[in-house]
Amino acid sequence: MERTIENLRQLIRAGRALTPADTVILNGNLVNVMTSEIYPADVAIFQDMIVAVGDVSAYRGPKTQVIDASGSYLVPGLIDGHIHSECSKLSITSFAKAIVPSGTTSMVSGLDEYISVSGLEGLKEVFAEIKQSPLKVFWGAPYKTPYTFPTSTISCNFNPEIHEQVQQWPECFGVWETVREAVQELDEDTLGALSLAYKNRLPIFGCAPMARGNDLNGYLCGGVRLDHESYDHQEVVEKLRKGMHMVIRESSVTHFLAENIRAVTQVNPALARRVSFCTDDVTAKDVVEKGHVDHLVRLAIKAGVAPMTAIQMGTINSAEAYRIDHLVGSISPGRIADILLVDDPATFKVHTVITNGKLVARNKKLTYDLRAPKRSSLLSSALKCNLTVAKDFEYRVQLANGKAKVLSMEVKGPFVRKRRDVTLDVVDHVVHSDTKQDVLMVSVLERFGINGNKSLAFCSGWGLKAGAMASSAAPDDNNIIVLGANAQDMAVAVNHLITEGGGQVVVKDGKILDFLPLPVGGIVCDLEPQEVARREDGINASARLLGCDLPEPLMYMFFLPITAIPDYAITDVGPVDCVALTTFDPILELIEHT
Ligand SMILES: [Fe+2]
């Protein structure tokens, strides 16, 4: 965010009431998150900035627009402290349509899924899209990409040379999601990014689930300022006591708020000052049905947090954690005019949204027609890999016939996979998956035309009795992931994505049961949020027809390549032991028929 000298001159004059305001908001009650007070106050806005709060009669001119806030409370625009909006499968434009009407006006994001598929040039195109949307994105430059250990394949390898460049960009507000393993293992590229951040005075955003004691101390000595992943409230308390800002995560698949908030409601209310909220990964359906950060504010109030404190967690606390409180997070002169009109702090229903000084949403809908921009080929969904055949998904071994003891990755939660040893039949050199034992084949195919990598392994916990499902959206690499009960359907699913140009698909007996196209980079689409929510329901229902009873079948599958969380994952270079940080051979033993 830049201000020219001429722009500052205009703003300062407007602040002194020498130039009439463009808009005034009258008769509302101000929720002052800086002082924890609520009192009647009017607001004057010039261009995109709040120039006065209180008695603004001196700021009104003949052309000044008036917004009447009688009976409403004025609350700063909400901030999502950590989100991969791409995981909603909504483009920035569609995501803005989903979250701005419920009051989220800013988000902190690495936009890392876009980077993985379209590199820095694609990212610049996304920045342009953000600029023409009502949503602000405070971008953190990924500490490195790919995030995976060992290194997997993506279209853009973020390294210290790139950090030299991007940390100077006006869009860059910090270093994104610096995972604990990368710091702990003293990874050279990671330390390079952190060292540059010190030099450029940028905050380092962390990701250290279950980091405690000495490991946490070491992590903090790397310069990390905040974290958004704690599994219980004691972890939250330790991190807060050691000086971190804590961003409580409540995503569509991980629900930490009720447990994490106990740090405030049960241990010490004073800890609230440095606690804020994020959603990390949300589905379109959840946002449409429940709301976004406004939903987290309501959840916190329900958990026993005072309404003012909960609102501070959704606004100023985030702004301070990310060092953006001079721009957003409060309704004060000099801040950007992102203002919500809500019914009552305790019930927190947002009915009107103003961003950058303009009224953009009323009654949960944008007040104007926001269109997605024309996109270049950088953000096309062409998957650059060869069509597959069933044989590509057959696990072949030396042994002709007999048994194979294999390590199957058993899903135990959206991100957690545990070891499960199973014995499978080997017939004609092929290790057969076995739906009776709930063992499927899983594969990741490199799709950027770089090396044609294809991995193959075994997974459990999905319950599929037939068919296959695949996705070209699969954080953090966004290679194609496919899992299935038989090799034929896996090939059909992958080929459908390649020929259609990206998306998510469910196949049974060679037929496409459902397909959600994701034409923007193969990861997101420009459909309306309600439409994506409907389609998500449909594709999850198709996955359930195959026998899968996980809460979010496609989402659980697309998290399989994430290697940051123990114990197992799979990327294009193979199945990964996330503790040893190596690939592994899933065949434990081959047993000949006797
Ligand atoms: Fe994240």
Side-chain angles (χ1 to χ4, degrees):
M1 310 224 168
E2 288 170 305
R3 298 278 184 203
T4 63
I5 291 174
E6 177 49 29
N7 188 214
L8 285 171
R9 194 176 284 129
Q10 293 167 356
L11 292 167
I12 293 165
R13 284 179 59 79
R16 297 183 64 213
L18 300 175
T19 311
D22 294 323
T23 305
V24 290
I25 306 172
L26 305 180
N27 310 316
N29 282 302
L30 177 75
V31 177
N32 191 328
V33 294
M34 294 294 206
T35 61
S36 307
E37 296 170 294
I38 297 177
Y39 49 84
D42 298 333
V43 177
I45 298 166
F46 180 75
Q47 295 177 358
D48 62 345
M49 188 179 272
I50 297 163
V51 292
V53 181
D55 177 3
V56 301
S57 47
Y59 291 79
R60 281 182 76 170
K63 290 185 183 160
T64 302
Q65 286 194 340
V66 176
I67 296 173
D68 184 10
S70 297
S72 296
Y73 290 77
L74 309 183
V75 171
L78 302 170
I79 303 168
D80 189 326
H82 181 103
I83 181 164
H84 310 256
S85 65
E86 304 92 313
C87 290
S88 68
K89 300 186 281 296
L90 301 171
S91 66
I92 286 289
T93 303
S94 296
F95 199 62
K97 287 181 191 174
I99 66 169
V100 171
S102 64
T104 307
T105 54
S106 295
M107 63 186 203
V108 181
S109 179
L111 302 170
D112 42 347
E113 314 305 335
Y114 288 110
I115 295 170
S116 77
V117 298
S118 65
L120 291 191
E121 293 309 310
L123 177 64
K124 286 179 189 166
E125 208 169 303
V126 176
F127 284 152
E129 182 178 357
I130 291 164
K131 237 181 188 163
Q132 60 124 60
S133 87
L135 184 63
K136 280 171 206 67
V137 178
F138 294 94
W139 179 64
Y143 69 100
K144 71 179 273 180
T145 63
Y147 297 137
T148 50
F149 291 97
T151 305
S152 52
T153 313
I154 58 171
S155 78
C156 170
N157 287 62
F158 228 82
N159 53 32
E161 286 76 58
I162 293 181
H163 271 277
E164 284 272 15
Q165 204 191 118
V166 302
Q167 288 194 14
Q168 308 300 327
W169 288 0
E171 292 89 353
C172 184
F173 284 84
V175 177
W176 173 254
E177 193 146 31
T178 311
V179 305
R180 165 195 174 184
E181 288 75 14
V183 177
Q184 212 162 278
E185 298 300 312
L186 305 177
D187 173 69
E188 203 64 19
D189 282 352
T190 305
L191 299 188
L194 301 192
S195 172
L196 281 164
Y198 263 99
K199 191 175 118 197
N200 294 323
R201 302 181 189 91
L202 286 172
I204 297 160
F205 317 153
C207 176
M210 294 173 274
R212 309 289 295 264
N214 295 355
D215 283 346
L216 178 58
N217 295 341
Y219 185 61
L220 292 171
C221 291
V224 180
R225 179 176 171 83
L226 54 91
D227 191 17
H228 70 286
E229 279 197 45
S230 294
Y231 277 66
D232 58 46
H233 73 281
Q234 286 98 342
E235 190 181 334
V236 173
V237 171
E238 182 179 347
K239 287 172 175 171
L240 285 165
R241 286 180 177 159
K242 288 183 172 171
M244 292 187 103
H245 290 263
M246 286 310 307
V247 188
I248 292 180
R249 175 171 79 177
E250 178 76 7
S251 80
S252 286
V253 288
T254 48
H255 304 285
F256 287 169
L257 192 140
E259 165 56 29
N260 282 190
I261 206 77
R262 292 170 65 200
V264 172
T265 55
Q266 292 181 13
V267 177
N268 182 357
L271 297 181
R273 195 172 72 81
R274 285 161 75 91
V275 172
S276 51
F277 298 134
C278 76
T279 61
D280 210 348
D281 304 301
V282 281
T283 60
K285 181 179 158 65
D286 267 0
V287 177
V288 166
E289 288 178 0
K290 298 179 188 165
H292 190 231
V293 179
D294 59 320
H295 171 57
L296 307 197
V297 171
R298 288 189 294 269
L299 281 182
I301 293 169
K302 213 170 147 197
V305 176
M308 172 61 80
T309 309
I311 293 169
Q312 287 166 325
M313 289 175 178
T315 57
I316 188 64
N317 294 9
S318 243
E320 287 178 354
Y322 289 95
R323 292 193 195 146
I324 50 177
D325 52 309
H326 59 302
L327 298 169
V328 293
S330 68
I331 300 177
S332 326
R335 271 56 168 204
I336 296 166
D338 290 349
I339 298 170
L340 317 179
L341 272 57
V342 306
D343 63 335
D344 186 285
T347 43
F348 207 74
K349 291 200 180 91
V350 179
H351 63 77
T352 301
V353 181
I354 293 152
T355 65
N356 301 317
K358 303 269 182 303
L359 197 153
V360 295
R362 261 202 209 278
N363 302 321
K364 304 285 172 214
K365 273 204 172 118
L366 288 188
T367 52
Y368 67 105
D369 185 19
L370 176 66
R371 299 253 170 112
K374 275 216 158 66
R375 302 180 195 284
S376 77
S377 60
L378 287 165
L379 282 166
S380 88
S381 57
L383 308 183
K384 296 175 188 154
C385 50
N386 297 327
L387 291 173
T388 60
V389 291
K391 264 193 165 170
D392 291 323
F393 304 104
E394 289 176 353
Y395 204 108
R396 305 189 79 76
V397 289
Q398 284 285 328
L399 179 71
N401 291 289
K403 299 276 182 193
K405 278 191 182 165
V406 310
L407 189 161
S408 181
M409 300 178 285
E410 181 160 33
V411 66
K412 290 286 186 189
F415 300 104
V416 179
R417 273 79 54 172
K418 295 286 179 191
R419 175 175 179 158
R420 180 168 165 231
D421 292 359
V422 287
T423 302
L424 301 174
D425 290 332
V426 179
V427 181
D428 294 336
H429 297 282
V430 175
V431 182
H432 282 252
S433 58
D434 184 352
T435 55
K436 284 199 188 86
Q437 293 190 75
D438 185 22
V439 181
L440 308 174
M441 300 308 302
V442 58
S443 174
V444 173
L445 298 93
E446 186 274 320
R447 59 105 150 177
F448 304 106
I450 295 170
N451 53 33
N453 278 348
K454 179 180 68 64
S455 61
L456 199 53
F458 304 88
C459 68
S460 297
W462 301 88
L464 261 61
K465 299 282 178 270
M469 50 196 201
S471 176
S472 59
D476 294 307
D477 299 344
N478 295 294
N479 283 310
I480 300 172
I481 183 152
V482 57
L483 63 79
N486 67 76
Q488 290 81 2
D489 283 342
M490 290 171 77
V492 171
V494 168
N495 292 348
H496 191 75
L497 296 187
I498 295 170
T499 50
E500 293 299 316
Q504 297 192 322
V505 67
V506 175
V507 173
K508 190 181 177 200
D509 301 331
K511 293 199 177 60
I512 309 301
L513 292 189
D514 210 337
F515 172 56
L516 170 61
L518 299 173
V520 184
I523 55 172
V524 295
C525 64
D526 288 321
L527 293 174
E528 294 295 315
Q530 292 77 3
E531 174 65 6
V532 174
R534 199 183 62 75
R535 304 279 297 260
E536 264 175 0
D537 263 350
I539 203 159
N540 280 329
S542 296
R544 287 193 190 98
L545 282 181
L546 304 184
C548 184
D549 58 2
L550 292 170
E552 294 282 344
L554 275 293
M555 207 169 193
Y556 272 59
M557 177 179 71
F558 91 176
F559 286 140
L560 263 166
I562 294 178
T563 62
I565 299 166
D567 293 340
Y568 298 102
I570 182 168
T571 71
D572 69 303
V573 296
V576 176
D577 178 331
C578 307
V579 178
L581 304 178
T582 57
T583 53
F584 69 91
D585 182 351
I587 305 293
L588 303 171
E589 192 185 349
L590 293 170
I591 307 155
E592 268 184 85
H593 278 313
T594 49

